[in-house]
Amino acid sequence: MKRHGPMSCLLCATMISVVAILTGGCNSRGGQASESVAPDWKMQRENMVSQQIEARGVKGPLVLESMRTVPRHLFVPENYRDSAYNDSPLPIGDSQTISQPYIVALMSELLEVQSGEKVLEIGTGSGYQAAVLASMGVEVRSIEIRERLCERAASTLSELGYESVRVRCADGYGGWPEEAPFDGIIVTAAPEWIPDPLLEQLAEGANMVIPVGDFYQELKVITRTAEGFEERSVIPVRFVPMTGEVERQGTP
Ligand code: SAH
Protein backbone atom coordinates (compact mmCIF):
# COMPACT_ATOMS: atom_id res chain seq x y z
CA MET A 1 0.00 0.00 0.00
CA LYS A 2 2.82 2.33 1.02
CA ARG A 3 4.43 1.83 -2.36
CA HIS A 4 1.24 2.91 -4.04
CA GLY A 5 1.15 6.28 -2.30
CA PRO A 6 3.94 8.02 -4.21
CA MET A 7 2.94 6.12 -7.35
CA SER A 8 -0.57 7.51 -7.09
CA CYS A 9 0.82 10.98 -6.51
CA LEU A 10 3.06 10.64 -9.53
CA LEU A 11 0.03 9.49 -11.47
CA CYS A 12 -1.92 12.46 -10.13
CA ALA A 13 0.81 14.89 -11.15
CA THR A 14 1.07 13.31 -14.58
CA MET A 15 -2.67 13.44 -15.03
CA ILE A 16 -2.80 17.04 -13.92
CA SER A 17 -0.14 18.00 -16.45
CA VAL A 18 -1.86 15.96 -19.15
CA VAL A 19 -5.10 17.75 -18.34
CA ALA A 20 -3.22 21.06 -18.36
CA ILE A 21 -1.64 20.29 -21.71
CA LEU A 22 -4.95 19.16 -23.12
CA THR A 23 -6.71 22.21 -21.80
CA GLY A 24 -4.02 24.46 -23.19
CA GLY A 25 -4.16 22.51 -26.40
CA CYS A 26 -7.89 22.91 -26.59
CA ASN A 27 -7.66 26.60 -25.99
CA SER A 28 -4.87 27.16 -28.42
CA ARG A 29 -6.64 24.97 -30.93
CA GLY A 30 -9.89 26.83 -30.39
CA GLY A 31 -9.30 28.93 -33.47
CA GLN A 32 -8.38 25.94 -35.58
CA ALA A 33 -11.37 24.00 -34.31
CA SER A 34 -13.76 26.75 -35.31
CA GLU A 35 -11.99 27.08 -38.69
CA SER A 36 -12.25 23.38 -39.27
CA VAL A 37 -16.01 23.46 -38.60
CA ALA A 38 -16.42 26.38 -41.01
CA PRO A 39 -18.41 25.03 -43.96
CA ASP A 40 -16.34 23.39 -46.67
CA TRP A 41 -18.22 24.89 -49.61
CA LYS A 42 -16.10 23.16 -52.22
CA MET A 43 -16.84 19.77 -50.74
CA GLN A 44 -20.54 20.64 -50.46
CA ARG A 45 -20.52 21.53 -54.16
CA GLU A 46 -18.79 18.25 -55.06
CA ASN A 47 -21.46 16.33 -53.14
CA MET A 48 -24.24 18.40 -54.70
CA VAL A 49 -22.95 17.58 -58.18
CA SER A 50 -22.42 13.87 -57.62
CA GLN A 51 -25.52 13.15 -55.53
CA GLN A 52 -28.14 15.51 -56.97
CA ILE A 53 -27.04 16.26 -60.52
CA GLU A 54 -24.92 13.48 -62.02
CA ALA A 55 -27.06 10.91 -60.20
CA ARG A 56 -30.12 12.23 -62.07
CA GLY A 57 -28.44 12.00 -65.45
CA VAL A 58 -26.96 15.44 -66.22
CA LYS A 59 -23.74 14.68 -68.10
CA GLY A 60 -22.49 17.83 -69.86
CA PRO A 61 -18.90 18.40 -68.68
CA LEU A 62 -19.20 22.19 -69.01
CA VAL A 63 -22.37 22.26 -66.91
CA LEU A 64 -20.98 19.93 -64.25
CA GLU A 65 -17.73 21.92 -63.99
CA SER A 66 -19.67 25.14 -63.67
CA MET A 67 -21.90 23.72 -60.93
CA ARG A 68 -18.71 22.62 -59.12
CA THR A 69 -17.29 26.13 -59.37
CA VAL A 70 -20.00 28.77 -58.86
CA PRO A 71 -20.35 29.72 -55.15
CA ARG A 72 -24.13 29.22 -54.81
CA HIS A 73 -23.94 30.18 -51.11
CA LEU A 74 -23.02 33.74 -52.11
CA PHE A 75 -26.24 34.09 -54.12
CA VAL A 76 -28.62 33.23 -51.26
CA PRO A 77 -29.49 35.44 -48.27
CA GLU A 78 -26.99 35.03 -45.41
CA ASN A 79 -29.45 33.17 -43.17
CA TYR A 80 -29.85 30.46 -45.84
CA ARG A 81 -26.16 29.96 -46.61
CA ASP A 82 -25.89 26.70 -44.71
CA SER A 83 -28.70 25.28 -46.86
CA ALA A 84 -27.32 26.64 -50.14
CA TYR A 85 -26.23 23.23 -51.45
CA ASN A 86 -29.36 21.35 -50.33
CA ASP A 87 -31.50 19.55 -52.88
CA SER A 88 -34.17 22.27 -52.89
CA PRO A 89 -35.12 25.78 -53.99
CA LEU A 90 -34.59 28.57 -51.42
CA PRO A 91 -36.20 31.95 -50.77
CA ILE A 92 -34.28 34.97 -52.08
CA GLY A 93 -36.67 37.69 -50.86
CA ASP A 94 -39.69 39.37 -52.46
CA SER A 95 -41.49 35.96 -52.38
CA GLN A 96 -39.16 34.67 -55.10
CA THR A 97 -36.88 31.64 -55.09
CA ILE A 98 -33.52 30.44 -56.41
CA SER A 99 -34.16 27.13 -58.21
CA GLN A 100 -33.09 23.73 -56.92
CA PRO A 101 -29.49 22.99 -58.09
CA TYR A 102 -30.61 20.04 -60.27
CA ILE A 103 -33.10 22.24 -62.15
CA VAL A 104 -30.40 24.88 -62.78
CA ALA A 105 -28.07 22.19 -64.15
CA LEU A 106 -30.79 20.51 -66.21
CA MET A 107 -31.94 23.80 -67.80
CA SER A 108 -28.33 24.76 -68.53
CA GLU A 109 -27.81 21.42 -70.26
CA LEU A 110 -31.07 21.60 -72.23
CA LEU A 111 -29.98 24.92 -73.75
CA GLU A 112 -27.22 23.01 -75.61
CA VAL A 113 -25.00 26.08 -75.81
CA GLN A 114 -21.27 26.35 -76.36
CA SER A 115 -18.71 28.65 -74.85
CA GLY A 116 -18.76 32.01 -76.68
CA GLU A 117 -22.49 31.85 -77.52
CA LYS A 118 -25.09 34.31 -76.26
CA VAL A 119 -28.06 33.46 -74.04
CA LEU A 120 -31.02 35.54 -72.88
CA GLU A 121 -32.36 34.81 -69.41
CA ILE A 122 -35.76 36.03 -68.24
CA GLY A 123 -35.89 36.15 -64.42
CA THR A 124 -32.44 37.01 -63.05
CA GLY A 125 -33.60 36.45 -59.44
CA SER A 126 -30.44 35.95 -57.39
CA GLY A 127 -28.16 35.92 -60.44
CA TYR A 128 -27.08 32.31 -59.79
CA GLN A 129 -28.37 30.78 -63.04
CA ALA A 130 -26.72 33.62 -64.97
CA ALA A 131 -23.43 32.95 -63.14
CA VAL A 132 -23.62 29.23 -63.96
CA LEU A 133 -24.01 30.05 -67.66
CA ALA A 134 -21.26 32.70 -67.51
CA SER A 135 -18.94 30.20 -65.92
CA MET A 136 -19.58 27.94 -68.95
CA GLY A 137 -18.14 30.72 -71.09
CA VAL A 138 -21.55 31.96 -72.26
CA GLU A 139 -22.40 35.65 -72.81
CA VAL A 140 -25.52 36.28 -70.73
CA ARG A 141 -28.18 38.96 -71.04
CA SER A 142 -30.56 38.69 -68.12
CA ILE A 143 -33.77 40.59 -67.36
CA GLU A 144 -35.41 40.91 -63.94
CA ILE A 145 -38.72 42.66 -63.35
CA ARG A 146 -38.29 43.30 -59.60
CA GLU A 147 -36.06 46.32 -59.07
CA ARG A 148 -34.69 45.25 -55.69
CA LEU A 149 -33.72 41.74 -56.82
CA CYS A 150 -32.39 43.14 -60.07
CA GLU A 151 -30.05 45.58 -58.37
CA ARG A 152 -28.88 43.04 -55.83
CA ALA A 153 -28.17 40.40 -58.49
CA ALA A 154 -26.31 42.91 -60.65
CA SER A 155 -24.06 43.87 -57.74
CA THR A 156 -23.46 40.23 -56.65
CA LEU A 157 -22.50 39.30 -60.21
CA SER A 158 -20.17 42.24 -60.61
CA GLU A 159 -18.56 41.75 -57.15
CA LEU A 160 -17.86 38.13 -58.04
CA GLY A 161 -16.39 39.15 -61.39
CA TYR A 162 -18.96 37.70 -63.81
CA GLU A 163 -18.22 40.26 -66.49
CA SER A 164 -19.95 38.41 -69.31
CA VAL A 165 -23.38 38.95 -67.69
CA ARG A 166 -25.42 42.09 -68.36
CA VAL A 167 -28.52 42.64 -66.27
CA ARG A 168 -31.48 44.79 -67.23
CA CYS A 169 -34.22 45.79 -64.77
CA ALA A 170 -37.43 45.47 -66.83
CA ASP A 171 -40.29 43.19 -67.86
CA GLY A 172 -38.71 40.39 -69.88
CA TYR A 173 -41.86 39.93 -71.99
CA GLY A 174 -40.35 41.86 -74.89
CA GLY A 175 -36.94 40.20 -74.64
CA TRP A 176 -33.81 42.21 -75.48
CA PRO A 177 -34.23 42.99 -79.20
CA GLU A 178 -30.99 44.99 -79.56
CA GLU A 179 -29.00 41.89 -78.59
CA ALA A 180 -31.04 39.33 -80.59
CA PRO A 181 -30.82 36.73 -82.04
CA PHE A 182 -29.88 34.49 -79.11
CA ASP A 183 -28.20 31.07 -79.23
CA GLY A 184 -30.44 30.10 -76.33
CA ILE A 185 -33.22 31.58 -74.20
CA ILE A 186 -33.86 30.43 -70.65
CA VAL A 187 -36.97 31.53 -68.79
CA THR A 188 -36.96 30.95 -65.04
CA ALA A 189 -40.48 32.18 -64.21
CA ALA A 190 -43.53 30.41 -65.64
CA PRO A 191 -45.88 32.09 -68.13
CA GLU A 192 -49.12 30.36 -69.13
CA TRP A 193 -48.15 30.82 -72.76
CA ILE A 194 -44.94 31.76 -74.55
CA PRO A 195 -44.52 35.45 -75.43
CA ASP A 196 -44.05 35.94 -79.21
CA PRO A 197 -41.14 38.41 -78.87
CA LEU A 198 -39.09 35.68 -77.15
CA LEU A 199 -39.79 33.19 -79.96
CA GLU A 200 -38.82 35.84 -82.50
CA GLN A 201 -35.47 36.46 -80.76
CA LEU A 202 -34.41 32.81 -80.88
CA ALA A 203 -31.75 32.03 -83.52
CA GLU A 204 -32.37 29.20 -85.97
CA GLY A 205 -31.22 25.92 -84.43
CA ALA A 206 -31.35 27.41 -80.91
CA ASN A 207 -33.34 26.16 -77.91
CA MET A 208 -35.63 28.00 -75.54
CA VAL A 209 -35.97 26.29 -72.14
CA ILE A 210 -39.11 27.45 -70.38
CA PRO A 211 -41.58 26.30 -67.72
CA VAL A 212 -45.12 26.74 -69.06
CA GLY A 213 -48.37 26.54 -67.12
CA ASP A 214 -50.28 27.81 -64.15
CA PHE A 215 -50.33 25.51 -61.13
CA TYR A 216 -49.28 22.49 -63.18
CA GLN A 217 -46.27 23.42 -65.26
CA GLU A 218 -44.16 21.54 -67.76
CA LEU A 219 -40.55 22.33 -68.50
CA LYS A 220 -40.46 22.67 -72.28
CA VAL A 221 -37.74 22.92 -74.89
CA ILE A 222 -38.69 24.88 -77.98
CA THR A 223 -36.28 24.55 -80.90
CA ARG A 224 -36.33 26.98 -83.79
CA THR A 225 -35.95 25.15 -87.08
CA ALA A 226 -35.84 26.38 -90.68
CA GLU A 227 -39.57 25.59 -90.92
CA GLY A 228 -40.79 26.94 -87.60
CA PHE A 229 -40.68 25.64 -84.03
CA GLU A 230 -40.52 22.17 -82.49
CA GLU A 231 -41.66 21.64 -78.93
CA ARG A 232 -41.08 18.90 -76.38
CA SER A 233 -41.96 18.52 -72.71
CA VAL A 234 -39.22 17.38 -70.34
CA ILE A 235 -40.54 17.14 -66.77
CA PRO A 236 -43.24 18.65 -64.54
CA VAL A 237 -41.89 21.62 -62.58
CA ARG A 238 -42.98 24.33 -60.16
CA PHE A 239 -41.71 27.87 -60.82
CA VAL A 240 -42.92 31.26 -59.61
CA PRO A 241 -45.29 32.83 -62.16
CA MET A 242 -44.04 35.18 -64.85
CA THR A 243 -45.60 38.55 -64.05
CA GLY A 244 -46.00 41.78 -66.02
CA GLU A 245 -47.36 41.92 -69.55
CA VAL A 246 -47.95 38.17 -69.93
CA GLU A 247 -50.15 38.20 -66.82
CA ARG A 248 -51.98 41.35 -67.92
CA GLN A 249 -52.89 39.66 -71.20
CA GLY A 250 -54.23 36.67 -69.22
CA THR A 251 -55.05 33.15 -70.30
CA PRO A 252 -54.96 32.79 -74.09
N1 SAH B 1 -32.95 32.40 -62.21
C1 SAH B 1 -33.10 32.85 -60.85
C2 SAH B 1 -34.36 32.38 -60.17
C3 SAH B 1 -35.51 33.04 -60.74
S1 SAH B 1 -36.95 33.17 -59.77
C4 SAH B 1 -31.91 32.49 -60.00
O1 SAH B 1 -30.98 31.84 -60.48
O2 SAH B 1 -31.90 32.88 -58.84
C5 SAH B 1 -37.90 33.95 -61.02
C6 SAH B 1 -37.60 35.39 -61.22
O3 SAH B 1 -38.32 35.83 -62.36
C7 SAH B 1 -38.06 36.25 -60.07
O4 SAH B 1 -36.99 36.99 -59.57
C8 SAH B 1 -39.11 37.15 -60.69
O5 SAH B 1 -39.15 38.44 -60.15
C9 SAH B 1 -38.70 37.15 -62.14
N2 SAH B 1 -39.75 37.52 -63.08
C10 SAH B 1 -41.08 37.19 -63.06
N3 SAH B 1 -41.71 37.72 -64.12
C11 SAH B 1 -40.78 38.38 -64.85
C12 SAH B 1 -40.81 39.14 -66.06
N4 SAH B 1 -41.93 39.34 -66.72
N5 SAH B 1 -39.66 39.66 -66.52
C13 SAH B 1 -38.48 39.49 -65.85
N6 SAH B 1 -38.39 38.80 -64.70
C14 SAH B 1 -39.52 38.23 -64.20
Side-chain angles (χ1 to χ4, degrees):
M1 284 297 285
K2 261 190 170 178
R3 278 174 63 202
H4 288 125
M7 278 287 282
S8 311
C9 277
L10 189 61
L11 201 61
C12 279
T14 314
M15 282 181 70
I16 287 166
S17 48
V18 167
V19 168
I21 289 166
L22 282 180
T23 316
C26 272
N27 285 342
S28 65
R29 268 181 284 152
Q32 282 179 27
S34 62
E35 268 168 36
S36 68
V37 296
D40 183 345
W41 303 120
K42 194 169 167 6
M43 197 185 73
Q44 291 194 29
R45 279 197 294 276
E46 286 295 333
N47 292 339
M48 169 189 83
V49 169
S50 61
Q51 294 162 15
Q52 303 169 29
I53 298 172
E54 282 182 302
R56 292 188 178 115
V58 174
K59 293 191 183 70
L62 259 187
V63 176
L64 296 176
E65 190 47 35
S66 178
M67 298 297 293
R68 282 195 188 96
T69 312
V70 178
R72 180 172 163 97
H73 61 284
L74 299 180
F75 290 86
V76 303
E78 239 169 87
N79 51 328
Y80 285 106
R81 275 196 186 154
D82 286 344
S83 314
Y85 298 98
N86 289 1
D87 193 11
S88 62
L90 289 173
I92 53 170
D94 281 19
S95 310
Q96 306 302 305
T97 52
I98 178 175
S99 303
Q100 177 190 11
Y102 165 63
I103 294 293
V104 173
L106 175 67
M107 291 177 84
S108 305
E109 178 157 84
L110 290 170
L111 279 170
E112 294 181 47
V113 284
Q114 314 292 322
S115 175
E117 293 189 326
K118 187 159 67 171
V119 166
L120 172 67
E121 178 189 33
I122 308 300
T124 319
S126 66
Y128 176 67
Q129 173 73 73
V132 166
L133 293 171
S135 165
M136 291 165 61
V138 169
E139 282 286 320
V140 185
R141 301 294 174 263
S142 186
I143 308 179
E144 169 57 53
I145 201 166
R146 290 172 191 264
E147 194 84 15
R148 211 159 61 107
L149 290 179
C150 182
E151 280 165 11
R152 197 194 302 146
S155 73
T156 308
L157 287 161
S158 98
E159 275 162 26
L160 295 175
Y162 292 101
E163 282 165 13
S164 60
V165 183
R166 282 176 54 198
V167 178
R168 175 181 271 184
C169 305
D171 185 341
Y173 178 91
W176 197 318
E178 312 88 286
E179 294 277 347
F182 294 98
D183 305 303
I185 297 183
I186 179 169
V187 183
T188 63
E192 285 188 48
W193 43 275
I194 303 174
D196 280 344
L198 298 183
L199 290 167
E200 283 157 18
Q201 290 171 31
L202 196 59
E204 194 179 311
N207 288 345
M208 179 189 304
V209 182
I210 180 168
V212 183
D214 183 8
F215 187 79
Y216 296 100
Q217 303 164 6
E218 287 282 335
L219 186 63
K220 292 183 185 272
V221 178
I222 318 291
T223 307
R224 186 167 201 165
T225 66
E227 293 77 35
F229 296 94
E230 280 170 7
E231 181 181 313
R232 69 187 168 102
S233 288
V234 185
I235 47 166
V237 284
R238 190 97 183 89
F239 278 78
V240 296
M242 188 170 183
T243 56
E245 183 59 25
V246 80
E247 242 183 9
R248 266 192 296 280
Q249 291 193 24
T251 311

